[in-house]
Amino acid sequence: MNTNSGRNYRRKVRQNVRVRALFVDNMSKSVLKMLGAKYNIEPFFFASSTNWIPSRYREEVQHGVGDHITVILPFIRTTEKEKKTHSSLTGIKRNERKNTIDVMSPLHLHGNPYLLLPRFCLSPFIGEYVLLIDLLAIHMIREKNTSTIITYHPALRDRTTAERLHQVMERAGGSVYWNKIFVASEDPTFFFLAILWYALYAWDEAFEVLYNRIKDMEVILNGSDFSAMADLNYNLHSLQAHLLQYQTLLHDFEISVTFVMETPNPAMENSDNRDTTNELMQRECKNLLSEIDRLHRRCSMLISRLKNATDLAFATVNIEDSRQTFRLTVATLRDSAAMKQISYLTMIFLPASFTASVFGMNVREINPGSLETIARYAWVSLLLTFATTWIVIAFQPYSTIHKPGAGMWRRAAWPAFVLIHKIAEYSKSFWTEGKKTTPQENNIPLGSLRRRAGHSTLKFDDAIYEEDAIGG
């Protein structure tokens, strides 16, 4: 039903109809107001539907006459885009990564070009699937003679249209299973349940696509293709974020079915087959809840598999890093062996080099007639060594010798500070050693320490001394 068929809305309807369905699609505000006024529909129904707010409520309850029930239920359904060839798939560019993962936006599951390689060839799909959030907005006016179902459909691409839901209702009317229920009970709420089963089938199809996609990711991860792993890193986290959102939507689905089960039709209170109706309603709602529970468990299984796939990716990278580290270690050991051989050669030639250097010195003790002596050579070497050490340490601000944040002048005077620090440590250790004597060594009886003003007291230091004395 759309704006162009507004004249059909004013047309006289056929009588003796158990359930009448109006599928609202692409309606103007004026027509929606007219529809709400005729069937006494709360504006909250259209406001929640246009804003995609999950809700369920009951109103206008009249015992023995009827009531109004409303369920607004977001769910997930799958659409498939046009399939692409191998050449076009290999030319796919990597998607730009966003700062955040929007779980309300459609989830695009691209056919991965890596899966087209001969060593894989396991992908059940090549095209692109899109998982998007769809909406079931159902308002039912339950009356004793003729009930009315009104559904609202958002004017968005790839969502469930009024024509599509009309086909679902027609197929439910032609189903042998549902026809037996419609014959056994006059409760129009079973038509409401038939529409909810449509959402369940959409969930099942979406999880099947997700399962195949996760399976393909695991194949890539098992292949140890690190270029493919880099592309899948963002996809793994995006899938897990969407699955967590899907768990919330499944919980809303479960609450909606429970609401229908616990909201009996007041028009059936005086019906002859009331017990049969209640029994059938309980059975069908429990069947639907059982299927939703199965979807819950499957969603949890997919989340666990995604976590396992993520752990597999990290484990694979860690194993490869360990292999690279092992190769580097082997190369380092090989270089160390070569350096050790060079050290051995140096050790052989070092005494001879030292002897040649000593005998080549121009000193009086070795070369008579020279002006220099070995004592002066030793003094000059020691002074130059000290000066070099002092300059190098003074220009190192992060040395452990300096205090954090020490200035240039304090660093320049580091030998004095080091000397003062060593003297202080020696003095402290000297006095500490001098105090470590027992009361017996100082000829102090323990009884005099325990008695003070008629009380038996023992200081902490005395207890330590006594323990040392007992310990021998």
Side-chain angles (χ1 to χ4, degrees):
M1 181 177 180
N2 51 37
T3 306
N4 297 329
S5 60
R7 59 181 181 274
N8 297 332
Y9 167 73
R10 300 183 183 90
R11 186 176 59 186
K12 186 177 180 180
V13 296
R14 189 175 59 182
Q15 301 297 324
N16 299 326
V17 176
R18 186 190 299 182
V19 178
R20 183 179 295 112
L22 299 178
F23 303 98
V24 181
D25 190 8
N26 195 22
M27 301 277 289
S28 63
K29 291 184 178 179
S30 58
V31 178
L32 290 177
K33 290 180 180 179
M34 182 174 60
L35 186 66
K38 178 176 177 59
Y39 290 100
N40 195 20
I41 303 175
E42 287 288 338
F44 181 74
F45 169 68
F46 296 106
S48 300
S49 302
T50 54
N51 292 302
W52 297 65
I53 302 175
S55 56
R56 58 210 64 85
Y57 57 90
R58 184 188 189 189
E59 57 185 354
E60 299 291 333
V61 181
Q62 299 180 14
H63 295 283
V65 178
D67 64 353
H68 290 213
I69 60 172
T70 298
V71 170
I72 299 174
L73 179 66
F75 66 100
I76 303 299
R77 60 185 298 266
T78 307
T79 60
E80 183 179 4
K81 291 190 175 182
E82 182 180 357
K83 293 186 178 181
K84 301 177 182 179
T85 60
H86 172 71
S87 59
S88 61
L89 277 174
T90 53
I92 293 176
K93 294 182 179 180
R94 188 179 304 177
N95 293 334
E96 296 182 359
R97 296 184 180 180
K98 301 179 180 179
N99 294 329
T100 58
I101 299 175
D102 186 8
V103 295
M104 301 302 295
S105 62
L107 176 61
H108 294 264
L109 302 178
H110 300 277
N112 200 305
Y114 296 102
L115 298 176
L116 298 176
L117 297 176
R119 58 173 174 166
F120 292 126
C121 297
L122 296 175
S123 177
F125 61 92
I126 301 177
E128 177 182 349
Y129 286 84
V130 181
L131 302 184
L132 45 84
I133 300 181
D134 205 342
L135 184 70
L136 276 183
I138 314 169
H139 182 86
M140 186 171 191
I141 306 167
R142 299 190 290 189
E143 297 178 345
K144 195 167 187 178
N145 297 323
T146 301
S147 299
T148 304
I149 296 177
I150 300 173
T151 63
Y152 176 82
H153 303 269
L156 294 176
R157 183 180 177 184
D158 296 330
R159 266 61 176 192
T160 300
T161 61
E163 182 180 0
R164 171 61 178 163
L165 201 59
H166 177 259
Q167 294 175 356
V168 172
M169 290 290 292
E170 280 188 337
R171 292 176 181 177
S175 170
V176 176
Y177 180 83
W178 286 107
N179 265 320
K180 289 181 180 179
I181 296 177
F182 298 151
V183 171
S185 174
E186 298 176 357
D187 192 351
T189 313
F190 289 104
F191 288 92
F192 201 101
L193 284 179
I195 298 176
L196 293 181
W197 274 95
Y198 167 74
L200 182 85
Y201 295 144
W203 274 106
D204 231 343
E205 184 180 359
F207 281 152
E208 186 64 28
V209 173
L210 279 172
Y211 172 77
N212 290 330
R213 177 59 176 160
I214 294 173
K215 186 171 62 174
D216 290 341
M217 287 182 173
E218 291 175 341
V219 171
I220 296 175
L221 294 174
N222 286 326
S224 299
D225 190 344
F226 291 97
S227 60
M229 288 183 187
D231 296 337
L232 290 180
N233 185 27
Y234 178 82
N235 293 335
L236 286 171
H237 290 84
S238 178
L239 276 177
Q240 191 154 8
H242 280 82
L243 282 171
L244 293 174
Q245 173 66 15
Y246 296 165
Q247 279 188 328
T248 304
L249 297 180
L250 279 174
H251 182 64
D252 289 334
F253 194 5
E254 182 179 2
I255 294 176
S256 299
V257 176
T258 305
F259 167 76
V260 174
M261 182 176 65
E262 296 177 353
T263 310
N265 187 1
M268 301 296 298
E269 291 180 355
N270 300 323
S271 176
D272 296 335
N273 57 358
R274 178 181 175 181
D275 295 336
T276 303
T277 298
N278 291 337
E279 182 181 351
L280 288 174
M281 183 61 65
Q282 292 290 325
R283 186 191 71 184
E284 293 302 317
C285 287
K286 288 180 179 179
N287 288 341
L288 193 52
L289 289 173
S290 175
E291 292 298 316
I292 295 174
D293 181 66
R294 176 182 61 83
L295 292 177
H296 263 299
R297 286 184 275 108
R298 188 168 190 184
C299 185
S300 300
M301 181 270 294
L302 292 177
I303 292 175
S304 299
R305 288 196 65 167
L306 271 178
K307 184 179 182 303
N308 184 56
T310 306
D311 294 341
L312 174 62
F314 281 115
T316 305
V317 172
N318 290 334
I319 291 173
E320 185 62 24
D321 288 343
S322 300
R323 291 175 180 172
Q324 294 291 343
T325 305
F326 176 75
R327 297 190 188 101
L328 290 175
T329 304
V330 172
T332 303
L333 291 175
R334 191 181 302 114
D335 295 340
S336 300
M339 293 300 297
K340 189 180 295 184
Q341 294 175 359
I342 295 175
S343 300
Y344 291 156
L345 291 175
T346 305
M347 182 180 64
I348 294 173
F349 289 100
L350 184 60
S353 301
F354 175 74
T355 304
S357 300
V358 170
F359 283 100
M361 295 171 61
N362 259 337
V363 292
R364 189 179 304 166
E365 287 81 359
I366 297 176
N367 190 5
S370 298
L371 299 178
E372 300 300 332
T373 63
I374 293 180
R376 186 175 296 178
Y377 163 77
W379 276 107
V380 171
S381 299
L382 291 174
L383 288 175
L384 287 177
T385 303
F386 175 76
T388 304
T389 305
W390 174 62
I391 293 173
V392 170
I393 295 178
F395 280 94
Q396 288 184 349
Y398 301 106
S399 176
T400 56
I401 297 177
H402 308 305
K403 291 184 177 181
M408 183 60 195
W409 292 107
R410 185 178 179 85
R411 296 201 307 268
W414 70 266
F417 288 105
V418 170
L419 182 61
I420 293 172
H421 181 70
K422 293 296 182 182
I423 293 174
E425 283 187 351
Y426 176 76
S427 301
K428 184 177 179 181
S429 62
F430 176 78
W431 288 107
T432 303
E433 291 293 336
K435 288 183 179 181
K436 287 184 178 179
T437 58
T438 63
Q440 286 81 355
E441 293 174 349
N442 294 329
N443 296 322
I444 301 175
L446 290 176
S448 62
L449 294 174
R450 295 192 183 96
R451 290 189 299 271
R452 179 177 297 178
H455 298 282
S456 295
T457 58
L458 184 64
K459 292 184 179 181
F460 180 71
D461 294 338
D462 300 335
I464 295 177
Y465 294 149
E466 183 176 359
E467 182 179 350
D468 293 338
I470 294 174

